[in-house]
Amino acid sequence: MPAPRPPGALVPDEQACRDTIQRLQAVREPRIVVVGNPNTGKTTLINALAGTNLKVGNWAGVTVEKRQADLQLQGRTIHLLDLPGAYSLSPYTPEELVTRTALLDEGPDVILNVLDAGNLERNLYLTLQLMDFRIPVAVALNLVDEAKEKGLTVDAAALSRALGVPVTETVASRQQGTKTLLEHSLKHATLGIGVRYPAAIEDAVADLTGRMAYLPTLPPHAWRYLALALLEGDPSVRGRLSATGHTALIDAADAHLAALETQDTDALIDIAEARYARAGDIARLAVPQVQARRTLSEKLDRLTLHPLFGIPLFLALVLLVFRLTFSVASPFVDLIGEPLQETAAGWASALLVSLPLLRDLVVGAIIPGVGTVLSFLPTLLVLYLAMSFLEDSGYMARAAFLMDRLMRSLGLDGRAFIPLILGFGCNVPAVSATRTLERRSDRVLVSMIIPFMSCSARLPVYVIFAAALFPRSGSWIVWSMYLLGMLMAFLFAWLLRRTALPAEGGGVLLELPPYRFPAWAVLWKHAWRRTKSFARRARTTVLATVAVVWLLLALPAVSGGKFAQVDPKDSVFGSVAQAVSPLFAPLGFGNWQATGALVPGFIAKEVVVGTLGQIYLGEQAAAPAPLGLIEGTKQALGATWDALKTSVAAIPTVLALPQLGADTGADQKSPLAAALARAFTPASGLAYLVFVLLYTPCIVTVGAIAQEHGRRVAWITVAYQLAAAWIMAFLVYQLARALGL
């Protein structure tokens, strides 16, 4: 016996439902779109279902564009489309527009709506909007474990009856309930019981959908949604219909709105009120009213969000990350940068003894250049692990909340801090993450200041200079670079807001996810994926750049010089670098080696270290002694064991005061660090680090800014960052000299 319909519910078109299900069962490769509010675990659910490694995180806005994962189910290929989180289908941000556009254009067979069991009423607003699309819906009631920690138990059966769609309880992070979810959804998804709006609005919707039946360019599954959006005055829908030649439909909607006004009916408010009322009714049916318990997240937030202690705690955690990076990873950096490179150079010399030119390229350029960049993989792996822990635990969202007051003084809101934090990893996805911001001026402004945030590609430069010039306080130097980048970003945000990009007004509410202890496997996947990306650039971008630099270093720029036998200073590379170097003399590093290494840094920042290694170590590595396989293997294994012991012994120094940290004295420096210690003074080294921190973003970041906001914005960003880098490096050098460094 069918369940009685609740008052105010829309009776679905049963015949259409059956027809749709039959079509679904007949198609060979169903397409399922996964939709939900931000941070409800959609991507985690897809990873659990399809075995993919799509990026996840414990904050709103991780997914900013649609992504697809495929899986096999009973011999059929299922396409899962991961859409950005959305609070509603009335888009205010580009990511919400991506979700709405996919629902209009993709023609999915099923909508899998992911709900947060702990925030049911708020999530149901989107669910009810989805039911305005006449597409079968199934619900994954996710995060039921966190809801129970709050003292909330959702009656999934009651929720299913109220919505008229199948509901499956899941804990996606533990793969609970995921095995049967897809099959259950595909077999039992239905159109559900949508909202019954006031009679006058339903009459207008009926008229508009009737008109759409004569317009073959409009997808039938979206007729009801489009009619409601027109009555709500959705500007994006109106713009889309106007651009596709449906102005008559807009005129008809305007006529209905004028008629509704005469009846004192505000369609926008009445439609929203009907959805909120229905969402509230369903939530009260599904969740017994109980006194919610204070959760562990709420208790921790009393400390982490404290108005006095919150920001110092944030800065201390960032410092702890860098101390961990230095103490644990440094022995492995030295291992790859010295013994393993020597072993590789010895093997290459033995193999290429009859090919001297190729041997020079491999031993004198590729191994010191690419090898120096690769030597920082352990540093980045530790950094990525620590950053992933802070992100997935939910702390980064708290950092954005802490910065909200500061960001508002800059004309932004705390949510703008999330893309800035992402910039610590890589500036390119950080620029994409600005799509989560509602106002265009905010998106442009934040994209223009993101390159000031020190990405991981600059970390190798900091680490090698810190080891060379500041062995006892390296982590503090690196920490100060990250802090300076943030201060410069805030300064330029303030300047841009008061000149070219004034605030457009308004504000947003920040959503704080609960604290979650990240799964170690997920942390490892995140860190390993990012580290692999860095290594991939080393074998592509860095390798190609190193080869070009080697070629330019081998080409003579003076008459009588011979290829590969010229003094580097008299090469094409050296001559060009010498011509530019006077510009940097006031900054303390006006030699051609330091200046020349900055030029390929326009392509990728990690290339700076590779080029420094190539310039300073190339000649030393030009003629290593050939090394046998067994002898080299013994040498490499022995050095690896020593590095492992040193790394474990250094763990307690993470919490030590700076002067008690691991001391890499002059006699322990790597060959490149020793060379830099001879070439730079502490003052000129600091100025060099500041210039690398602030000067123009890499070419990929420039492309990302151009793609999001146009070439003009991208080139303006390049220009003002170059100027800012020169001025700040000059000031730092002069100040350091005045202090006697």
Side-chain angles (χ1 to χ4, degrees):
M1 182 175 179
R5 304 292 181 195
L10 178 69
V11 178
D13 184 342
E14 300 292 350
Q15 183 58 49
C17 177
R18 282 195 294 273
D19 293 345
T20 304
I21 293 175
Q22 288 173 1
R23 179 172 60 84
L24 171 63
Q25 292 172 341
V27 295
R28 187 166 178 273
E29 296 182 349
R31 293 174 62 81
I32 301 175
V33 293
V34 183
V35 188
N37 281 191
N39 207 34
T40 53
K42 299 180 297 301
T43 307
T44 303
L45 183 63
I46 289 177
N47 285 339
L49 292 170
T52 51
N53 291 316
L54 301 179
K55 178 177 172 55
V56 298
N58 190 13
W59 74 85
V62 177
T63 305
V64 295
E65 57 188 10
K66 63 181 181 182
R67 299 176 296 187
Q68 181 170 307
D70 299 334
L71 64 98
Q72 295 292 318
L73 180 66
Q74 298 176 351
R76 302 167 71 190
T77 300
I78 310 291
H79 303 288
L80 292 174
L81 200 62
D82 185 16
L83 298 181
Y87 293 106
S88 81
L89 297 178
S90 303
Y92 288 97
T93 65
E95 57 179 347
E96 289 181 338
L97 186 60
V98 168
T99 296
R100 206 273 306 281
T101 302
L103 289 168
L104 286 172
D105 297 342
E106 295 289 340
D109 300 291
V110 172
I111 296 174
L112 180 56
N113 180 208
V114 184
L115 301 183
D116 178 355
N119 293 287
L120 190 61
E121 184 172 347
R122 190 196 66 193
N123 282 227
L124 285 172
Y125 186 91
L126 175 65
T127 305
L128 296 173
Q129 273 193 304
L130 292 173
M131 290 180 178
D132 289 331
F133 279 93
R134 311 305 286 166
I135 301 172
V137 174
V139 166
L141 185 64
N142 199 29
L143 304 173
V144 291
D145 54 338
E146 293 183 0
K148 288 177 181 175
E149 288 179 6
K150 296 179 182 177
L152 301 174
T153 300
V154 180
D155 186 340
L159 180 62
S160 178
R161 287 193 298 273
L163 291 173
V165 300
V167 175
T168 305
E169 291 187 5
T170 60
V171 181
S173 59
R174 300 176 190 167
Q175 301 190 356
Q176 293 179 6
T178 56
K179 287 186 177 178
T180 58
L181 175 63
L182 267 189
E183 187 177 353
H184 196 220
S185 301
L186 286 170
K187 284 185 177 177
H188 303 294
T190 68
L191 298 182
I193 306 170
V195 177
R196 169 72 73 180
Y197 299 102
I201 293 176
E202 287 290 353
D203 291 343
V205 169
D207 176 69
L208 291 172
T209 53
R211 293 170 185 264
M212 292 179 196
Y214 297 97
L215 302 172
T217 53
L218 296 181
H221 72 268
W223 289 350
R224 180 173 174 81
Y225 169 78
L226 289 173
L228 286 164
L230 282 172
L231 296 176
E232 290 177 287
D234 187 323
S236 59
V237 164
R238 285 174 170 258
R240 178 187 172 108
L241 291 176
S242 177
T244 51
H246 298 99
T247 52
L249 204 56
I250 298 174
D251 294 339
D254 288 339
H256 280 296
L257 287 173
L260 289 170
E261 279 188 16
T262 63
Q263 303 172 35
D264 292 331
T265 299
D266 187 321
L268 175 63
I269 294 176
D270 286 1
I271 291 172
E273 284 184 348
R275 288 174 183 149
Y276 280 122
R278 180 90 178 106
D281 290 343
I282 295 173
R284 283 186 286 276
L285 280 173
V287 185
Q289 297 302 303
V290 295
Q291 185 69 36
R293 294 193 297 265
R294 174 172 286 185
T295 63
L296 178 62
S297 293
E298 292 169 337
K299 294 174 182 175
L300 287 175
D301 282 343
R302 295 184 66 182
L303 172 64
T304 58
L305 301 181
H306 192 278
L308 292 179
F309 304 133
I311 290 181
L313 179 62
F314 166 70
L315 295 175
L317 283 174
V318 175
L319 177 61
L320 184 65
V321 168
F322 293 128
R323 290 194 62 77
L324 182 69
T325 300
F326 261 75
S327 301
V328 177
S330 287
F332 294 101
V333 173
D334 295 338
L335 168 70
I336 301 174
E338 194 171 357
L340 294 190
Q341 277 196 46
E342 289 176 0
T343 302
W347 283 341
S349 292
L351 288 172
L352 303 174
V353 65
S354 60
L355 301 169
L357 190 60
L358 182 58
R359 184 197 60 190
D360 290 347
L361 171 63
V362 174
V363 176
I366 293 177
I367 290 178
V370 178
T372 302
V373 174
L374 291 178
S375 69
F376 294 96
L377 288 179
T379 301
L380 292 170
L381 182 60
V382 175
L383 174 68
Y384 289 147
L385 280 171
M387 296 295 288
S388 296
F389 184 88
L390 293 179
E391 291 171 358
D392 291 0
S393 66
Y395 181 76
M396 283 304 187
R398 268 75 183 175
F401 181 86
L402 287 169
M403 293 294 173
D404 187 63
R405 179 176 295 179
L406 173 62
M407 301 301 282
R408 286 186 186 280
S409 70
L410 303 174
L412 296 166
D413 57 65
R415 206 162 65 161
F417 194 62
I418 293 290
L420 296 179
I421 293 176
L422 294 179
F424 284 151
C426 178
N427 287 173
V428 176
V431 172
S432 300
T434 60
R435 297 176 191 172
T436 60
L437 306 178
E438 292 182 4
R439 298 178 289 273
R440 183 180 183 280
S441 66
D442 290 359
R443 295 194 291 272
V444 174
L445 189 153
V446 174
S447 294
M448 293 180 73
I449 63 174
I450 278 175
F452 283 127
M453 307 303 285
S454 189
C455 67
S456 58
R458 299 173 214 186
L459 183 59
V461 186
Y462 307 153
V463 172
I464 193 65
F465 273 81
L469 302 168
F470 310 97
R472 287 184 176 272
S473 54
S475 57
W476 288 87
I477 294 295
V478 176
W479 179 74
S480 66
M481 289 297 111
Y482 279 73
L483 196 60
L484 176 62
M486 291 173 60
L487 293 175
M488 290 296 293
F490 295 151
L491 173 63
F492 273 82
W494 184 84
L495 290 173
L496 289 170
R497 187 56 95 199
R498 279 152 184 79
T499 53
L501 293 168
E504 296 176 11
V508 297
L509 294 176
L510 284 172
E511 182 182 5
L512 295 181
Y515 286 105
R516 296 168 186 157
F517 195 89
W520 291 112
V522 174
L523 289 182
W524 177 255
K525 283 181 181 177
H526 288 178
W528 184 240
R529 185 182 63 244
R530 292 171 171 177
T531 307
K532 277 200 307 183
S533 175
F534 184 88
R536 193 179 302 117
R537 291 201 301 274
R539 73 168 190 263
T540 54
T541 306
V542 177
L543 179 61
T545 307
V546 161
V548 171
V549 171
W550 174 84
L551 180 64
L552 296 176
L553 281 167
L555 285 173
V558 296
S559 60
K562 293 184 178 179
F563 183 77
Q565 297 180 14
V566 66
D567 187 323
K569 184 180 178 183
D570 297 326
S571 66
V572 172
F573 185 89
S575 299
V576 172
Q578 286 180 73
V580 180
S581 59
L583 293 173
F584 299 92
L587 315 185
F589 51 87
N591 59 75
W592 73 270
Q593 296 95 330
T595 305
L598 292 173
V599 176
F602 283 97
I603 298 172
K605 290 294 179 286
E606 57 268 49
V607 176
V608 173
V609 163
T611 308
L612 287 171
Q614 194 176 353
I615 292 173
Y616 285 108
L617 303 182
E619 289 187 353
Q620 299 176 29
L627 198 60
L629 179 62
I630 297 176
E631 184 184 359
T633 303
K634 287 182 179 177
Q635 181 176 305
L637 290 177
T640 302
W641 177 244
D642 291 341
L644 182 62
K645 289 190 295 184
T646 307
S647 178
V648 172
I651 291 177
T653 66
V654 171
L655 298 176
L657 294 174
Q659 60 270 26
L660 299 179
D663 183 2
T664 53
D667 57 333
Q668 300 175 1
K669 288 187 175 76
S670 67
L672 180 56
L676 294 175
R678 292 191 294 271
F680 287 82
T681 65
S684 62
L686 275 178
Y688 197 79
L689 291 184
V690 170
F691 192 87
V692 170
L693 164 68
L694 302 177
Y695 86 126
T696 176
C698 71
I699 195 67
V700 182
T701 302
V702 174
I705 296 174
Q707 182 180 5
E708 294 288 331
H709 310 298
R711 294 179 181 177
R712 182 169 174 268
V713 172
W715 288 117
I716 290 175
T717 304
V718 170
Y720 84 71
Q721 283 208 244
L722 268 176
W726 196 96
I727 293 171
M728 285 302 299
F730 174 78
L731 293 175
V732 167
Y733 177 63
Q734 299 302 328
L735 178 63
R737 287 187 64 193
L739 294 174
L741 293 178

